[in-house]
Amino acid sequence: MFDLTSSWLASMKRMTLLGGIVSLLTCTTGCDDSNRRRITVIEQPSSAPADTIVLDRIDRLDASFCSGWLTNETLLCTASAETLPTHMQIRHIKTSPTLDTKLPAGSTLSIAPDGKHAFGQGFGEAFLADLTQPDKDPHPIHIGDSGISYLNPTAIGAWFDSQTFILPIAGENAGLALIGIDGTITPIELSDQSRHIQKIVIAAERLFTLDVNQRLKSYDKKGSDVRLVRNHVVDFAVSPDGLKLAATIQASPHQESLIIADTLDSTNEKSLSKGRLLRQLAWSPSGDKLAYATFSLEQGGSGLYVMNARSGSALSLSIQPNIESPIVWSPSGDSLFVAEHPAAEWAAGFTTFYRLKK
């Protein structure tokens, strides 16, 4: 005969024991000295720290070699074709319509701060183009015809302002030349008569120059007040506000180092990255990020990177760097592109866009 009383008592004992265990656990984790309940709320961690750079997406524009941004949505590109293209196009990256221009295909362009003009070099020629009239022939620049020297095709110039481009010239009268948007050419005599300049950057009312002897110097805009900033510099870039210098230093015959320093105090520097080759330094328009390409013999060291300039934390965008291709930021600073043609044929040209989360 089944004893209901015994069964009921056994059930009550089990419930009492279970309740005691629960009470003990509750007091162990949630009771203070006064035996009152206490709840501790733990905040969920954010998906990424505030200074972390996050990649949103990667897009590739096949059969199009881009040279520069006109706006955040439009670019100047050379379209690949079965026959060698002769001119660039203005291309909208979202809706894809194109507009033909008279700019020579394959040229290296530097677009003025106001976006209205561009200085271009390519195939042994230089020109100034009015981007407000893309169907107008660009104005050719003949340095040699002016009797002041000739262009160095590998040198990199910069916009002095929206009306004037400054570039290195080579030859007997080597130095710098100002090219006005009207085509006028004015030589600049540097106070120390520096020659063989490879790169110029304008920032904080000063000229920064790098010569073939790896000497980084700065001048005032008249070419005077010369200061030696750093020796053993392979490449460099100055932040838009002119306060920070990023430079590739030749640390040894087979290793380069990326440093960031104050432009006015190069002794206050931080070494942030190393590689066999480290090139194409490019500050974002706001100056909070620095992009660069590096090749390293160590596994996992090669690639295209974007670094937070304040914290030094870096994001790898690609493991396939092209240290010969410039990294070009969009005006808003939330995108950048690298255009390349791995083969000698234009049909192989393509542009890769990296979009960062805002």
Side-chain angles (χ1 to χ4, degrees):
M1 181 176 178
F2 189 69
D3 189 349
L4 291 175
T5 303
S6 299
S7 177
W8 178 81
L9 289 174
S11 298
M12 289 299 294
K13 289 180 179 180
R14 286 195 296 269
M15 292 177 65
T16 301
L17 178 61
L18 180 60
I21 294 174
V22 171
S23 298
L24 178 61
L25 291 174
T26 301
C27 285
T28 301
T29 60
C31 294
D32 58 16
D33 293 339
S34 60
N35 292 326
R36 290 179 299 177
R37 289 187 179 182
R38 184 174 57 193
I39 299 176
T40 302
V41 178
I42 302 176
E43 294 184 2
Q44 293 293 329
S46 59
S47 57
D51 63 351
T52 299
I53 302 171
V54 179
L55 179 64
D56 185 27
R57 58 183 291 174
I58 300 175
D59 296 306
R60 175 165 158 164
L61 193 60
D62 288 314
S64 195
F65 186 91
C66 296
S67 299
W69 300 86
L70 294 179
T71 69
N72 287 312
E73 306 296 339
T74 56
L75 303 104
L76 282 165
C77 304
T78 298
S80 300
E82 293 182 1
T83 59
L84 193 66
T86 58
H87 296 99
M88 291 186 183
Q89 294 177 330
I90 296 176
R91 179 162 185 168
H92 195 286
I93 58 176
K94 289 185 178 180
T95 59
S96 296
T98 58
L99 176 66
D100 291 334
T101 75
K102 293 294 185 68
L103 277 68
S107 302
T108 300
L109 294 181
S110 179
I111 299 176
D114 62 4
K116 295 181 178 180
H117 292 84
F119 178 85
Q121 286 179 267
F123 303 112
E125 63 181 347
F127 59 87
L128 275 165
D130 185 348
L131 299 179
T132 65
Q133 303 180 64
D135 58 343
K136 181 180 178 180
D137 288 323
H139 183 83
I141 303 297
H142 301 294
I143 299 291
D145 293 348
S146 300
I148 62 173
S149 201
Y150 58 90
L151 288 171
N152 179 350
T154 63
I156 300 173
W159 281 93
F160 195 83
D161 51 40
S162 290
Q163 305 295 310
T164 313
F165 190 80
I166 183 170
L167 74 161
I169 52 177
E172 182 179 353
N173 297 309
L176 305 177
L178 292 175
I179 313 296
I181 59 174
D182 59 356
T184 58
I185 301 173
T186 306
I188 294 181
E189 294 185 8
L190 299 176
S191 57
D192 62 341
Q193 299 181 335
S194 287
R195 294 175 177 267
H196 310 300
I197 293 172
Q198 294 294 303
K199 185 175 183 178
I200 302 173
V201 171
I202 311 292
E205 298 298 316
R206 293 191 68 83
L207 309 176
F208 292 82
T209 67
L210 178 64
D211 63 26
V212 294
N213 295 313
Q214 299 185 340
R215 292 175 299 192
L216 177 61
K217 298 179 180 180
S218 76
Y219 305 81
D220 62 22
K221 284 194 172 183
K222 295 180 180 179
S224 303
D225 185 30
V226 57
R227 304 174 189 176
L228 177 64
V229 179
R230 191 77 158 69
N231 283 308
H232 310 297
V233 177
V234 180
D235 192 12
F236 80 102
V238 180
S239 61
D241 61 8
L243 299 179
K244 292 293 182 181
L245 166 72
T248 301
I249 307 301
Q250 188 74 55
S252 69
H254 302 292
Q255 187 177 73
E256 296 174 355
S257 176
L258 171 64
I259 63 103
I260 290 184
D262 297 336
T263 52
L264 299 179
D265 181 14
S266 59
T267 61
N268 181 24
E269 66 180 44
K270 296 186 295 183
S271 180
L272 299 174
S273 183
K274 293 183 179 180
R276 185 178 178 89
L277 296 171
L278 205 154
R279 296 290 191 276
Q280 305 300 340
L281 310 182
W283 289 94
S284 63
S286 61
D288 61 335
K289 293 182 283 292
L290 178 72
Y292 61 94
T294 181
F295 170 75
S296 176
L297 296 178
E298 298 180 4
Q299 185 176 5
S302 298
L304 174 65
Y305 291 86
V306 174
M307 175 183 293
N308 182 298
R310 182 177 58 183
S311 67
S313 62
L315 171 68
S316 172
L317 300 180
S318 170
I319 61 173
Q320 301 293 335
N322 188 331
I323 59 173
E324 300 297 328
S325 298
I327 301 169
V328 187
W329 286 92
S330 66
S332 64
D334 59 5
S335 299
L336 53 89
F337 75 72
V338 177
E340 48 195 317
H341 43 88
E345 302 175 0
W346 284 109
F350 62 92
T351 304
T352 307
F353 296 86
Y354 302 91
R355 305 182 186 279
L356 307 177
K357 286 189 176 180
K358 298 180 180 181

